[in-house]
Amino acid sequence: SVAGMAAAGQEPGGAGPEEFLYGEEDFVLQAAGWRGEPGSAPSRFDRALLERWDDRMERGLFRYRLGPLPTRLLPGPMRMVAQLNVHRGTERRPPQPVQSLRQPFDPAAFNFTRLRPAELLLRLRRPGGPDPLLVAINDSPLERGHVLLLPEPARGLPQALTAPLLRGGLEAALLSAHPGFRLGFNGLGGCASVNHLHLHGFYLRRPLLVESAPARPLGPPHGPSLLTAVPAPAFLFYAAGPAGLEAVARDASRAAERLADTGLACNLLITRGDPPGGPAPDGQRGLRVLLWARRPSFGAKAGAAFNVALCELAGYLPLPAAPLFEEITEEEALRAIREHLLPEPQL
C-alpha cells in the first residue's frame, strides 16, 4: 500500500525520499551570525531540504499556500516575536485527543504511516551514527521549511522523547548553516497534536532571547542549568560541539522521562546559542537544548487566545487572527504562557 511505502520511505515507482548521507565533515560548527557573514551560504542540508520543500509547495501538497508572513517584535525586555499565520489557525488538522502522558500509540488514529509518499523529502543517515530520520513536510507550516523528523514511522512509537531521536535532532541542527534553524518537541499534555514520535524543524529568521540569556548552574559543571530571564523558565542543556551531543541527548531525554514520572508534561527546543554563562569571549556558539516542565493540558482550552507549545514557550508567537497580532502586548503573552508553568521554586 502507499501507506506502507510511506512508512518504509518509498514512493510508488521506487522514487522515495532522497537518501541524505552525511558525516561529521558536514557539521557546520559555527553557523552564520544574524547579520550575515562571509561564508554564510546555505549548507548542503539547507539546500536539499528547502529545494524539496519549495517543490512540494509548488505541487500543492500543503493545506495552504504560504506567502510572506507579517512579523513584529513585541515591545519589552523579552523581545518576543509575533507572527500572523491565519491559515494555520483555520486549516490545520484538529489535534488528536490526548488523555494521559503515557498514552499508547493508536494505529487507528491519524499517524505518519499515512503520509502521501510525495510528502517525504529526505532520509537522513550517518553511517555509524544515530538511527536514520525521515524528513517530511508539515502540511500546515509555520514558516518556509517547516518539516517533521520521523524515526521509522512503521515502528509506531508514541510521542515520548527518546535519546536516539534527540541525538538525531541535534545532528540535524548542526547540518544547517542558518542561525534560525530550530528543532523542537511537544510532549503529550504539552500540545502534541499527533501521538506518533516526531520532532519539528523550522527556519525562523529572527533571533530569540533563549539563544543568549545567561543561565544559573544547578549542580556539576557539565550538568543542566536553569534559564530564568526568558519568557518561560527552562532547564538548559548545552553541547559546545559534536563531542557533547550524546551526553546532552541522554541527559535531556532522562530529564523528560523524570518529568513524566512526576506527572508533568514537557516541551523542548534545540537552537544554536551561547554557552550557559552567556556569550563566549571568542563568539563561539554551540547547541542549547531547553526543556520546559509544565502542568499537563488535555484538550483545547476554551477561550485561550493561542495554544502554548514549544514555539510560544521559546518566545515565538504564531498567531491566528490579525487583531490579536496587532494588539497583543508582552504582558498579555507572558500571562497566557505562564498559566501552564510551575512556580519557580517548584520547578
Side-chain angles (χ1 to χ4, degrees), residues 256-283:
E257 179 71 18
R258 173 73 192 275
L259 293 178
D261 287 343
T262 60
L264 295 169
C266 74
N267 302 84
L268 177 142
L269 177 80
I270 301 169
T271 185
R272 299 270 183 174
D274 294 325
D282 60 2

Side-chain angles (χ1 to χ4, degrees), residues 8 57 105 120 123 145 153 241 251 270 284 293 309:
M57 181 59 79
F105 174 76
L120 305 171
R123 184 170 180 267
D251 293 349
I270 301 169
Q284 290 290 310

Side-chain angles (χ1 to χ4, degrees), residues 66-78:
L66 193 72
L69 297 168
T71 304
R72 74 182 185 99
L73 205 58
L74 300 191
M78 294 297 171

Side-chain angles (χ1 to χ4, degrees), residues 233-254:
F235 297 111
L236 173 63
F237 301 81
Y238 182 75
L245 301 187
E246 189 163 344
V248 163
R250 179 197 65 221
D251 293 349
S253 57
R254 275 187 190 162

Side-chain angles (χ1 to χ4, degrees), residues 6-53:
Q10 296 167 351
E11 288 198 24
E18 180 167 324
E19 184 93 342
F20 188 91
L21 280 177
Y22 67 94
E24 290 214 9
E25 68 278 4
D26 290 295
F27 291 150
V28 180
L29 302 184
Q30 237 3 54
W34 282 106
R35 284 170 296 285
E37 280 137 18
S40 62
S43 66
R44 183 168 74 95
F45 168 78
D46 295 319
R47 289 194 305 272
L49 188 156
L50 289 168
E51 281 167 14
R52 284 161 185 75
W53 196 94

